Amino acid sequence: MIKLASEAEATLSSFYEEMRDKGAQRLRAAAWAAFSELGLPNRRVESWHYTDLKTAMSRPAPLATASHGALSLPRAHDSLRLVTLDGVFRPDLSDIARLPGGVAIQSLRGALAEGKLHVMSALASADIGAQDSMLALNAALMQDGVVIQIASGARIDRAIELATFTSAEAAQSTYTRALVMLGEGAQATLIETLGALTAAPAQDNSALLLRLAPNARVDLVTHVSGGVDQSIRIASLLAHLDAGATINSFALTEGDGLNRRQIFVRLDGEKASAVFNGATLGRGRLHADTTLVVDHAKPNGESREVFRNILDDQSVGVFQGKVIVRPGAQKTDGAMQSKALLLSEQATMNNKPELEIFADDVQCGHGATCGRLDKDQLFYLGARGLPRREAEALLIEGFANEAMEALEDDQLKAFLGERVSAWLSRRINR
Amino acid sequence: MLEIKDLHVSVGEREILKGLTLSVKAGEVAAIMGPNGTGKSTLSYVISGREGYEATQGEVRLNGENILDLDPAERAAKGIFLAFQYPVEIPGVATMTFLKAAMNAQRRARGEEELATPDFMKRVKDASAQLGVSQEMLRRPLNAGFSGGEKKRMEILQMALLQPRLAILDETDSGLDIDALRVVADGVNALRAPERAFVVITHYQRLLEYIRPDTVHVMAQGRIMRSGGPELALELEERGYQDYIAQEAA
């Protein structure tokens, strides 16, 4: 029944043996069975065609063992931070005492040990992303993470940051999973920070699961950074939106290594609204894959995706976006756009937008482009006195800004703007 | 101020300017008139340094200095300004961000202090009030979704802020209604000064009723065919360009 072939898959099997009795045995067993069936994705798996994970992961790094040192971690936001370090939730490094009323948190380990039905079923998230073997592997091997419940009607003013770092000196693997459940009408801003504190080639597989009750709202900013050429980072985002719920998200990907961000969203109630925007700043050999499936299951839903890939050197960008409109999801309004700017001859972009529409009264569109800096624009800026590299920087910044327009939080906008500027000034000064 | 001697310019394989000679003094407004397709825009591009416009022979000097080897930004810092016939839209770049970047880039290149934000804001506010450029326009991305008239006013606003020594206006009247034309011409006239020169490129005499030139030059077939005073523009209005086209064929 189980058909594990490669050496890599045998190593992963030993990880599963290590994790199988650490809570949620049935959930893990089902996930492992799914992974075993699918195996590590190679390029023949359509949704992984542009990211050859099987080759990259031919040697799974050992499972992380917790580090317990009192590290001082870089802090980029004025947020309530919850830290998962080297695969383990660290209350001692987190702002737990400062969490406001209406926010309840516990570690994933704690939640798995407790085994409350509604939490377990949300963690299992069996209905979306089921065909993805790396998400299944994440569920089978999940080490720790955080579970957050936000009470109905609660409005959390300060951003809650889910920071996942690795700090090992040698290669290691982490499998972390976070769950955020928002009660009816609850509102929160989340920051998802995924970073590496050392130059070791980490293999990180993280999942963030969002459950939005009717009329809940999440503003989410994801920032992926750090890593080295051999790093592998698979970050999945699963979101369930009930009626009238809203998610407005933006992700910035920079750093090095192989990155895959996969987003599975289901608009499960009427009039739900989802924005998934993002930008990639590619340099060196960064491989940045964004694969997105937006599933409109109910009528009157709205979804927007604006992605900008800025690719220099030999970096590779991938955008695969699929919008599904189920039968009966009438009056769905969807628009998806992916644009790439190639700054070097060796940079590559792969764009693959798809629509699967099974309802007849919908408005859905997509556009994908790929090009270089515009000569007319460069001349215009040059004629106004901007030296070539500065003119390029201004145009690149403008290109990235287009994906950030929907962001409402000025502080986060400023933070992202600074990241883009820092990336650009490195480009000007080299 | 501007001395062009026997200038030959090719775009790709094709020679567009074929031995053009022109001299413009400080304080002068020189009008260049001519039929379509005669190289007027090419002249504006080669003076401002556009890539792909290659001078194969001759020279262009600004205050005695040969500028043909300079890139567009270096020329801009030396005081050359081109008001584009078709101003370029730059989505994602806020107009104010652009204006500040341009002004400070030129100041840096000249070894001057960068403008402090309050000083910059005041300059923009004063200049935009004169040209009827609204605050709303300044908040939008540069030229994105602007009407033809708004784009041209934005060009003149930039000229007012950058205070060039030599301003080239390429068909600034195209696409303007009479009211917009008057606003733009007033903006140009307000900048006329003894130390500044203008090259006004136009197909029609109409613009010259609002911006009175000191000299008029007829351009055809890649050369200046005739030079004279303002009366030459009126003669062209009456007779058209037939004489100059015919001259070439003969």
Side-chain angles (χ1 to χ4, degrees):
Chain A
M1 186 179 73
I2 288 173
K3 45 166 191 187
L4 287 176
S6 70
E7 203 175 307
E9 284 154 345
T11 307
L12 294 171
S13 173
S14 74
F15 294 173
Y16 174 62
E17 292 305 318
E18 202 179 324
M19 296 305 301
R20 65 188 302 171
D21 56 357
K22 297 201 168 140
Q25 278 189 338
R26 276 197 302 188
L27 195 168
R28 288 183 196 271
W32 181 253
F35 173 74
S36 305
E37 191 63 37
L38 299 162
L40 281 173
N42 58 37
R43 299 196 57 180
R44 289 190 304 277
V45 176
E46 198 191 343
S47 62
W48 285 85
H49 180 68
Y50 300 103
T51 298
D52 186 0
L53 192 70
K54 190 160 186 153
T55 303
M57 244 182 86
S58 58
R59 285 183 185 187
L63 269 186
T65 48
S67 57
H68 293 285
L71 282 165
S72 89
L73 300 171
R75 191 184 262 282
H77 307 280
D78 176 27
S79 60
L80 298 160
R81 184 159 70 169
L82 302 169
V83 176
T84 300
L85 181 65
D86 298 319
V88 178
F89 175 60
R90 292 286 298 268
D92 57 317
L93 301 173
S94 301
D95 302 325
I96 290 179
R98 294 196 290 141
L99 287 171
V103 181
I105 82 142
Q106 63 184 143
S107 69
L108 179 80
R109 278 183 195 182
L112 294 178
E114 204 178 78
K116 277 188 183 161
L117 195 63
H118 74 289
V119 174
M120 295 305 274
S121 103
L123 277 169
S125 191
D127 56 342
I128 56 176
Q131 286 307 304
D132 188 76
S133 69
M134 294 315 286
L135 190 57
L137 189 63
N138 176 279
L141 301 182
M142 56 186 163
Q143 297 166 288
D144 205 352
V146 54
V147 174
I148 304 174
Q149 298 187 61
I150 298 177
S152 294
R155 289 180 168 219
I156 313 303
D157 293 332
R158 193 111 171 253
I160 299 173
E161 181 180 2
L162 305 170
T164 304
F165 293 113
T166 57
S167 70
E169 294 304 328
Q172 65 171 18
S173 299
T174 65
Y175 292 83
T176 55
R177 181 165 277 227
L179 169 65
V180 182
M181 304 170 82
L182 288 97
E184 204 164 329
Q187 289 190 13
T189 298
L190 302 177
I191 303 170
E192 184 188 23
T193 301
L194 300 169
L197 303 173
T198 52
Q203 298 178 3
D204 299 314
N205 182 330
S206 67
L208 170 59
L209 283 60
L210 302 176
R211 289 263 168 185
L212 280 70
N215 301 315
R217 176 183 172 115
V218 167
D219 289 272
L220 168 69
V221 165
T222 298
H223 181 215
V224 180
S225 66
V228 293
D229 281 353
Q230 297 78 29
S231 303
I232 299 172
R233 189 194 310 279
I234 316 291
S236 304
L237 172 64
L238 279 72
H240 286 82
L241 278 71
D242 213 324
T246 300
I247 180 165
N248 181 10
S249 74
F250 178 86
L252 181 70
T253 301
E254 54 179 330
D256 290 296
L258 182 155
N259 279 270
R260 159 105 162 181
R261 205 168 159 261
Q262 39 186 18
I263 301 168
F264 302 97
V265 198
R266 193 171 166 102
L267 287 76
D268 259 339
E270 282 202 44
K271 294 188 178 169
S273 160
V275 174
F276 288 93
N277 294 348
T280 292
L281 302 172
R283 156 176 303 152
R285 296 178 178 279
L286 176 74
H287 176 103
D289 174 340
T290 297
T291 294
L292 175 113
V293 182
V294 180
D295 187 344
H296 286 269
K298 292 279 157 56
N300 293 303
E302 185 182 72
S303 61
R304 293 284 180 275
E305 297 82 33
V306 178
F307 278 83
R308 295 287 182 268
N309 274 269
I310 295 154
L311 302 169
D312 207 348
D313 302 333
Q314 292 120 61
S315 60
V316 177
V318 179
F319 176 81
Q320 303 185 98
K322 184 191 283 188
V323 176
I324 303 168
V325 182
R326 302 271 170 202
Q330 301 294 8
K331 306 280 182 196
T332 289
D333 176 0
M336 177 163 63
Q337 187 198 59
S338 165
K339 288 188 183 176
L341 189 53
L342 301 178
L343 300 175
S344 98
E345 296 288 329
Q346 289 85 37
T348 310
M349 180 68 201
N350 305 285
N351 260 325
K352 195 176 115 189
E354 286 177 276
L355 299 175
E356 282 182 11
I357 299 176
F358 303 102
D360 53 12
D361 184 14
V362 301
Q363 201 172 17
C364 276
H366 65 70
T369 64
C370 187
R372 301 187 183 280
L373 285 168
D374 185 282
K375 280 188 176 165
D376 292 342
Q377 292 179 341
L378 283 170
F379 172 59
Y380 188 82
L381 295 177
R384 293 297 175 259
L386 288 160
R388 177 72 181 210
R389 283 272 154 168
E390 271 183 60
E392 289 181 0
L394 197 63
L395 292 179
I396 296 166
E397 203 174 357
F399 185 76
N401 281 345
E402 290 178 294
M404 294 184 201
E405 274 163 17
L407 269 172
E408 289 176 18
D409 187 313
D410 288 337
Q411 271 184 28
L412 286 172
K413 231 176 182 167
F415 165 75
L416 294 164
E418 280 163 26
R419 295 309 309 164
V420 175
S421 302
W423 189 88
L424 288 169
S425 60
R426 254 187 74 188
R427 186 167 188 271
I428 290 176
N429 295 323
R430 68 178 178 174
Chain B
M1 171 158 302
L2 177 70
E3 290 288 340
I4 303 176
K5 271 188 205 147
D6 189 30
L7 183 65
H8 291 253
V9 172
S10 295
V11 180
E13 295 292 296
R14 211 169 134 232
E15 186 171 64
I16 310 280
L17 299 189
K18 301 166 181 170
L20 183 139
T21 296
L22 174 71
S23 171
V24 181
K25 293 189 195 61
E28 183 179 328
V29 173
I32 310 267
M33 301 184 71
N36 288 327
T38 190
K40 300 195 296 297
S41 284
T42 296
L43 176 63
S44 75
Y45 289 148
V46 79
I47 296 172
S48 44
R50 184 170 199 142
E51 215 175 296
Y53 290 75
E54 196 198 349
T56 52
Q57 197 182 316
E59 57 184 37
V60 178
R61 291 183 179 273
L62 182 74
N63 295 315
E65 184 187 3
N66 177 17
I67 58 165
L68 284 177
D69 292 334
L70 303 179
D71 68 31
E74 290 168 319
R75 299 188 200 197
K78 292 200 180 290
I80 293 178
F81 179 92
L82 169 62
F84 283 64
Q85 182 177 6
Y86 303 109
V88 180
E89 297 195 11
I90 308 191
V93 175
T95 301
M96 291 296 268
T97 306
F98 158 76
L99 291 175
K100 197 171 181 192
M103 289 170 80
N104 281 334
Q106 294 202 12
R107 295 176 77 91
R108 271 198 309 279
R110 292 193 291 258
E112 298 165 12
E113 286 271 309
E114 290 195 15
L115 284 175
T117 301
D119 188 8
F120 164 73
M121 297 296 282
K122 188 179 180 316
R123 288 177 193 224
V124 174
K125 205 177 154 202
D126 293 350
S128 52
Q130 267 186 8
L131 287 159
V133 171
S134 67
Q135 294 302 303
E136 195 269 326
M137 262 172 81
L138 292 169
R139 273 194 294 272
R140 276 191 271 167
L142 182 61
N143 290 329
F146 286 21
S147 70
E150 286 175 328
K151 285 180 184 171
K152 295 294 170 77
R153 268 184 284 156
M154 185 55 69
E155 293 294 287
I156 305 304
L157 173 68
Q158 292 172 39
M159 183 166 77
L161 291 170
L162 293 167
Q163 297 275 323
R165 300 169 80 178
L166 171 68
I168 304 156
L169 277 58
D170 187 7
E171 307 269 6
T172 292
D173 50 333
S174 71
L176 290 188
D177 63 32
I178 204 77
D179 294 325
L181 184 62
R182 196 168 286 135
V183 172
V184 164
D186 287 349
V188 172
N189 288 328
L191 289 168
R192 289 178 82 148
E195 70 280 4
R196 184 170 292 134
F198 288 86
V199 173
V200 179
I201 295 172
T202 184
H203 183 76
Y204 300 104
Q205 196 265 341
R206 186 180 71 155
L207 178 67
L208 305 180
E209 289 172 16
Y210 297 93
I211 304 172
R212 313 292 296 188
D214 300 303
T215 54
V216 173
H217 308 268
V218 183
M219 184 169 171
Q221 312 298 329
R223 281 191 293 269
I224 299 294
M225 308 293 266
R226 197 177 150 200
S227 297
E231 71 288 347
L232 183 52
L234 297 171
E235 185 190 314
L236 288 169
E237 180 77 0
E238 244 166 64
R239 297 182 52 89
Y241 295 111
Q242 54 189 355
D243 300 352
Y244 305 97
I245 298 167
Q247 200 170 328
E248 179 74 15

